[in-house]
Amino acid sequence: MGDDAGRLWWQEGVIYQIYPRSFADSNGDGVGDLRGITGRLDYLRDLGVDAIWLSPINPSPMFDFGYDVSDYLGIAPEFGTLDDFRVLLAEAHARGIRIVLDLVMNHSSHLHPWFVESSSSRTSDKRDWYIWHDGRNGGPPNNWQASFGGGAWEWDEASRQFYLHSFLREQPDLNWRNPRVKQAAEDIVAWWLDVGVDGFRLDVINWFLKDEQLRDNPTKLLGRRPYDRQKHVYDRNRPETVDLVRWLRATVDRWPERMLVGEVYNEPPGNPELSASYYADGAGLHLAFDFSLLFSGWSADDFGRAIDAWEDVLSPACWPTYTLGNHDQRRVLSRYASDANRAARGRVAAALVLTLRGTPFLYYGEEIGMLDVKVPRSRLQDPLGKSYWPLPVGRDPARTPMQWSAEANAGFSPAEPWLPVHPDFAEINVERAEADPASLLRWYRELIRLRRDEPVLRRGSYRRLPQGTGVLGYVREHEGERVAVLLNFESRPRPAVLPTGASWRVLAASARRPRDRVAGGTIEVEADGVLIAKAGAPQARTLGSEGRARSAVGR
Ligand code: NOJ
Ligand code: CA
């Protein structure tokens, strides 16, 4: 199902992340679930996305809301059953939508039977499935810190050793140097691929391997927490992880057209070189996240630098990804916009991720302009939010219920939802956005449709077009077709330059749509504005004539 050049859905498509607890609640318990998602597939089809990535749906005691798995082959009862999942998969595939699962295997839950067995005694058969060690000088084995705060080693009084946890103490790190752990992972991956899932998002892939000698991390001067005052060269980012990723890739490649996207997490400003290394020149991850774009300031220079750096470090065998939001970050419009410019900036942000060379990942609700919710202390759920309160570190604000309508609880659930709904839901909701031709949702749909209709937007090369202050410009080129994108990051009109020697047909423009065509040369881009234009002869275009037919996934 690839194009002539062999490009596949994960390069051609748009991927939409769903946080299952918060998308749609089908049984009125206030928690989103799989049947809820199935019930909203038509919405996703109409939006035009090609795949959804589900944050974890496995059974979990939910210390980290599913990122602490206690059974890799099951479905959390609050989300439904395996049958519900099979229905979701079949219904999604029937609409041409793939499903990517979150695979959280740097660590398991401390309640996973593997860890229960592993911690039962020093001689347990599964002892070396996790990372156990004696202390040093009466303290933990080394100076490693947990990324969620506190030391990374937990003392187990019963077996009188420490175990490693890079995140919560309820998330013991698996020992990926143990071939039996690899075998168990392979079995899990194979099992889900046989069920028919289209790929996996690998949680914190750059954490999987730790230094064999457990050396102390070097320290550095600046940083808010002890964790931030270390250089993470021994507790993560080990170069040998790339070999592990090659092996995972070879495993997944036994099934056709499946995809691995890895979260290569690095603190702001991101680390494109590190993320790029996980592609192993086409033999590693199909896709990797680098969060440089997400961590950029709202300026043409910052975004331009992040994009160019990512383009520069990726060899031709590697395909970029772009995202401006996920379940760990503040929502895009809460980070970048104010009441005055939100509507316009939402369009600029959408145009950015949807017209770059690479696979766009959207985060649920961003297409209607959902904002962070101020969650009162009494309703905090995220362990980070609770332990760092009142610092705004928690991730609950960006995980609140999808706003479907102006009905009670935003149409998410008849019951009080697990996290509060944003008070703006009567204005910001899907129903209203669908009815409003000028809504952000319509703009997302228009741009996604444009990507479908214009192969140059999906496949074209990327070249920066130098511009004056405030404007980011680039050209996408493919088989003689050329599209220019101009994005004004300032809240005042800015001059910009379109290449001369061509007449440009406007494909999409925010707010006012002044003309159908513009000549090359200097033009003005309106405040917080977008202009997407295609070079070419002045004949009329039949919409959709070049478009890809959307067909069901044949599995
Ligand atoms: C990264 C995930 O995105 C985050 O939500 C989670 O808390 C940590 N990994 C630990 O699994
Ligand atoms: Ca439910």
Side-chain angles (χ1 to χ4, degrees):
M1 276 238 327
D3 71 335
D4 299 344
R7 288 185 194 79
L8 294 171
W9 61 273
W10 48 269
Q11 294 169 296
E12 296 269 286
V14 175
I15 305 184
Y16 183 95
Q17 182 191 355
I18 288 180
Y19 195 71
R21 289 186 88 79
S22 287
F23 201 59
D25 172 21
S26 73
N27 63 348
D29 62 357
V31 173
D33 47 55
L34 299 182
R35 286 182 181 210
I37 298 170
T38 305
R40 296 293 183 174
L41 284 172
D42 286 347
Y43 167 75
L44 297 172
R45 181 202 50 209
D46 295 347
L47 177 58
V49 302
D50 301 80
I52 51 188
W53 147 30
L54 298 175
S55 275
I57 54 172
N58 303 117
S60 161
M62 301 284 169
F63 283 88
D64 192 20
F65 292 96
Y67 286 92
D68 50 326
V69 174
S70 54
D71 172 8
Y72 288 98
L73 300 183
I75 301 289
E78 48 270 72
F79 295 151
T81 63
L82 190 56
D83 277 345
D84 293 332
F85 180 73
R86 287 186 197 273
V87 171
L88 168 59
L89 192 61
E91 292 290 322
H93 282 175
R95 290 166 177 80
I97 299 174
R98 317 265 171 164
I99 293 199
V100 174
L101 293 185
D102 218 313
L103 188 67
V104 188
M105 290 206 76
N106 169 68
H107 43 267
S108 72
S109 159
H110 68 312
L111 300 182
H112 194 292
W114 296 340
F115 187 73
V116 173
E117 166 68 36
S118 181
S119 52
S120 65
S121 88
R122 287 196 189 202
T123 54
S124 145
D125 180 47
K126 288 207 166 53
R127 188 64 166 179
D128 59 353
W129 281 48
Y130 293 84
I131 301 174
W132 292 94
H133 211 272
D134 294 331
R136 188 182 63 180
N137 309 326
N142 62 23
N143 72 350
W144 297 354
Q145 300 290 305
S147 121
F148 285 172
W153 295 97
E154 182 74 7
W155 175 248
D156 176 49
E157 185 54 36
S159 63
R160 302 200 61 76
Q161 269 190 323
F162 289 91
Y163 68 84
L164 180 73
H165 62 91
S166 297
F167 297 90
L168 298 175
R169 68 164 71 90
E170 293 86 1
Q171 294 168 301
D173 284 43
L174 281 156
N175 175 16
W176 275 89
R177 295 190 187 269
N178 180 345
R180 288 164 71 210
V181 168
K182 282 175 73 178
Q183 185 57 54
E186 185 175 335
D187 294 347
I188 290 162
V189 162
W191 194 82
W192 284 110
L193 292 175
D194 281 341
V195 168
V197 307
D198 298 284
F200 300 97
R201 176 259 188 192
L202 301 167
D203 189 63
V204 290
I205 184 69
N206 54 322
W207 260 259
F208 275 38
L209 290 180
K210 285 86 190 170
D211 181 43
E212 265 189 300
Q213 301 166 47
L214 302 182
R215 279 170 281 188
D216 276 343
N217 277 329
T219 52
K220 56 179 195 184
L221 275 179
L222 297 178
R224 198 163 45 95
R225 311 170 303 156
Y227 186 86
D228 308 320
R229 293 194 291 275
Q230 291 190 357
K231 292 185 190 153
H232 295 283
V233 292
Y234 292 128
D235 58 345
R236 62 188 230 216
N237 306 338
R238 298 303 304 154
E240 59 268 33
T241 315
V242 175
D243 297 329
L244 185 65
V245 162
R246 280 202 186 86
W247 165 83
L248 261 174
R249 168 69 179 262
T251 303
V252 168
D253 276 353
R254 302 198 324 247
W255 286 256
E257 293 188 20
R258 312 300 164 96
M259 182 274 280
L260 289 174
V261 54
E263 180 200 23
V264 183
Y265 185 81
N266 201 71
E267 287 72 18
N271 188 341
E273 290 80 11
L274 180 74
S275 298
S277 71
Y278 284 81
Y279 285 85
D281 258 329
L285 298 178
H286 298 84
L287 298 174
F289 287 120
D290 171 67
F291 297 122
S292 302
L293 194 80
L294 192 152
F295 293 142
S296 288
W298 184 264
S299 83
D301 279 356
D302 273 21
F303 283 121
R305 245 194 315 273
I307 298 156
D308 291 351
W310 195 210
E311 282 276 345
D312 283 352
V313 292
L314 292 175
S315 69
C318 311
W319 188 250
T321 61
Y322 286 104
T323 187
L324 287 171
N326 65 38
H327 63 293
D328 294 326
Q329 304 296 334
R330 298 184 59 206
R331 282 192 176 270
V332 55
L333 292 185
S334 294
R335 272 186 284 126
Y336 288 134
S338 66
D339 287 351
N341 57 25
R342 191 167 297 127
R345 288 197 171 180
R347 286 157 189 271
V348 178
L352 179 68
V353 282
L354 291 168
T355 62
L356 284 169
R357 186 187 80 98
T359 303
F361 282 76
L362 309 179
Y363 183 54
Y364 83 96
E366 118 185 13
E367 74 279 16
I368 54 169
M370 274 176 62
L371 297 175
D372 283 356
V373 174
K374 273 202 193 85
V375 179
R377 190 177 188 187
S378 61
R379 296 214 45 195
L380 289 179
Q381 299 278 355
D382 178 27
L384 276 189
K386 289 180 183 170
S387 64
Y388 284 100
W389 188 91
L391 294 176
V393 179
R395 301 164 295 178
D396 291 325
R399 296 177 174 181
T400 61
M402 179 70 177
Q403 294 161 208
W404 293 105
S405 70
E407 281 165 47
N409 307 314
F412 163 76
S413 167
E416 176 77 16
W418 75 292
L419 274 175
V421 173
H422 198 290
D424 73 6
F425 76 92
E427 277 83 57
I428 308 289
N429 64 62
V430 169
E431 215 170 84
R432 202 167 155 155
E434 284 186 325
D436 174 6
S439 69
L440 185 61
L441 177 62
R442 296 278 198 107
W443 176 248
Y444 269 84
R445 283 187 188 163
E446 183 181 341
L447 293 179
I448 294 173
R449 162 140 197 188
L450 202 57
R451 275 179 75 91
R452 274 183 187 220
D453 290 344
E454 300 285 353
V456 56
L457 279 178
R458 302 197 302 279
R459 305 174 191 159
S461 60
Y462 161 90
R463 183 167 47 86
R464 185 84 171 270
L465 272 183
Q467 303 291 335
T469 330
V471 175
L472 177 65
Y474 46 90
V475 168
R476 307 282 318 277
E477 252 170 307
H478 179 67
E479 294 180 349
E481 307 221 295
R482 202 154 42 121
V483 166
V485 179
L486 296 174
L487 306 171
N488 181 1
F489 288 90
E490 293 195 0
S491 295
R492 54 183 176 139
R494 296 304 299 157
V497 185
L498 270 181
T500 50
S503 153
W504 294 86
R505 181 161 49 84
V506 178
L507 296 179
S510 58
R512 293 178 289 124
R513 194 186 287 256
R515 305 159 279 235
D516 286 342
R517 309 195 70 89
V518 268
T522 301
I523 60 159
E524 189 181 85
V525 188
E526 65 187 303
D528 301 305
V530 175
L531 182 78
I532 303 171
K534 185 172 183 180
Q539 86 271 4
R541 184 176 65 129
T542 354
L543 240 186
S545 59
E546 307 159 285
R548 228 170 11 136
R550 189 182 179 85
S551 53
V553 179
R555 260 203 301 292

